[in-house]
Amino acid sequence: MATMTRRSGSQQGFEQLLEYIGEHLDFESGFYNDAYMDRRITARMRRTDTDSYRAYRRLLERDDGEREELLDSLSINVTGFFRNPDAWDGLRSVLRDLTGQNRQVDVWSAPSADGREPYSVAMLALDDPEIDADRIDILGTDINHEILRTARAGVYETSKTTDIADELEPLSEIEPYVDRDGNAFAVRDGVKDMVSFEQHDLIRGDPKGTFDLILCRNLLIYIDSAYKVPIFETIEGSLRDGGHLMIGMTETIPTEMRDTFEAADKQHRIYRKR
Ligand SMILES: C[S@@+](CC[C@H](N)C(=O)[O-])C[C@H]1O[C@@H](n2cnc3c(N)ncnc32)[C@H](O)[C@@H]1O
């Protein structure tokens, strides 16, 4: 579909538009696959009634607001508490096992987006009597500084598109973990104390520490295949031997890395470093 759109438009116009975005919008369009970029751009073109890539580029050149809108729609920051709830059953078992070994357990959520993923790990640990939350430390990292500000604040709003109470459904109760004021849900200190946030680029950044469990979910789907291996090298370098990696439900381990990771719980996309 994306190719068809480009053929009926202009390949050259599309490439020039990507070049413009790379140079003027502080966005590394080259990291993301063309189909993804095309979907987001054509959606903005529909919203602005623009009928060619060239015309859209001219619109970006003259309209600051549209540059902001496009950046917003490109920042792929969709996330949620307990995203894909079934997968969290797999994670629950891993956390029970790890904390049962009577030692410190280090968890890395990368990318963390606005923090709802690492906070979900903390809430799950506090909520499950068989997980020893006192032994768990969680780091959340993302490339996007702005989104990390939201993560640190830890306040989320129910809106037309997001139902926070619904997202928190996997917990036995929510009151111990969030302070609810109408549509606003503020993560409580007991949860926040388990999580810290830092900016980090999974493609160009160095490995970070030695973790027992890494969650790298729902970034690979947008990334051009050339950049998947660097991401997995960062992960491999940050995971202790035998450590666990969880990826997104629609994601796979790149062929080049299949000797490094073996399936621990295939159904929930959990792997173990050999
Ligand atoms: C769709 S969200 C996924 C968040 C969460 N893991 C989840 O599954 O809900 C993708 C996030 O990746 C971040 N991101 C994009 N490129 C990145 C990179 N090179 N390094 C680290 N984070 C990146 C984006 O800022 C965005 O917050």
Side-chain angles (χ1 to χ4, degrees):
M1 185 65 207
T3 326
M4 274 178 57
T5 317
R6 273 207 301 290
R7 247 184 245 139
S8 58
S10 138
Q11 179 68 30
Q12 198 192 11
F14 181 71
E15 280 163 16
Q16 285 171 345
L17 178 57
L18 290 190
E19 221 168 276
Y20 176 85
I21 291 171
E23 279 171 23
H24 300 276
L25 265 74
D26 193 21
F27 182 84
E28 292 268 7
S29 60
F31 285 174
Y32 302 95
N33 63 55
D34 281 2
Y36 168 75
M37 292 299 293
D38 199 22
R39 268 199 312 276
R40 310 315 294 224
I41 291 167
T42 16
R44 286 307 311 159
M45 285 168 60
R46 267 197 304 274
R47 288 293 289 270
T48 53
D49 248 340
T50 314
D51 57 11
S52 74
Y53 296 118
R54 255 176 242 281
Y56 187 65
R57 196 183 115 190
R58 285 196 293 272
L59 174 64
L60 287 178
E61 281 168 359
R62 64 173 187 269
D63 185 340
D64 294 351
E66 183 54 28
R67 286 204 295 275
E68 285 298 313
E69 292 285 351
L70 178 63
L71 254 189
D72 241 27
S73 88
L74 285 174
S75 65
I76 54 163
N77 47 18
V78 177
T79 189
F81 287 106
F82 299 101
R83 186 170 183 181
N84 302 118
D86 291 348
W88 289 79
D89 287 335
L91 206 64
R92 186 189 292 275
S93 312
V94 172
L95 289 173
R96 285 178 179 174
D97 278 358
L98 287 173
T99 57
Q101 296 166 15
N102 289 337
R103 59 181 181 81
Q104 178 66 30
V105 174
D106 291 311
V107 182
W108 184 19
S109 159
S112 67
D114 68 11
R116 279 179 276 173
E117 181 178 273
Y119 286 139
S120 301
V121 177
M123 290 176 186
L124 176 71
L126 292 163
D127 198 54
D128 185 321
E130 289 177 50
I131 300 173
D132 185 352
D134 285 344
R135 296 191 180 278
I136 300 182
D137 259 331
I138 304 158
L139 173 67
T141 64
D142 201 280
I143 197 170
N144 180 334
H145 289 277
E146 283 299 311
I147 218 167
L148 288 171
R149 214 171 292 175
T150 309
R152 289 189 184 99
V155 181
Y156 306 93
E157 296 246 343
T158 281
S159 65
K160 263 191 222 144
T161 50
T162 313
D163 186 331
I164 301 291
D166 219 38
E167 291 181 9
L168 294 169
E169 192 78 2
L171 295 165
S172 61
E173 47 183 345
I174 69 168
E175 209 273 333
Y177 315 114
V178 287
D179 180 7
R180 181 173 187 173
D181 181 5
N183 280 338
F185 296 71
V187 174
R188 290 196 190 275
D189 286 348
V191 177
K192 281 173 123 179
D193 288 348
M194 293 173 66
V195 186
S196 54
F197 291 98
E198 279 175 35
Q199 197 266 348
H200 179 263
D201 178 343
L202 276 162
I203 295 173
R204 285 180 295 206
D206 292 326
K208 272 200 133 341
T210 315
F211 292 90
D212 300 284
L213 166 66
I214 298 179
L215 285 79
C216 183
R217 306 171 71 216
N218 303 304
L219 168 63
L220 301 163
I221 34 173
Y222 307 106
I223 292 287
D224 189 272
S225 49
Y227 295 102
K228 288 184 184 169
V229 172
I231 291 181
F232 272 85
E233 286 169 350
T234 310
I235 291 171
E236 183 197 358
S238 312
L239 203 54
R240 73 167 171 77
D241 290 343
H244 288 78
L245 165 67
M246 185 187 204
I247 58 177
M249 288 306 277
T250 56
E251 296 172 327
T252 51
I253 304 278
T255 342
E256 296 89 328
M257 302 304 284
R258 290 205 179 142
D259 287 341
T260 313
F261 295 98
E262 61 183 357
D265 174 353
K266 212 166 185 179
Q267 187 198 347
H268 298 124
R269 296 289 195 281
I270 299 175
Y271 296 80
R272 198 180 298 113
K273 182 175 159 185
R274 289 181 202 270

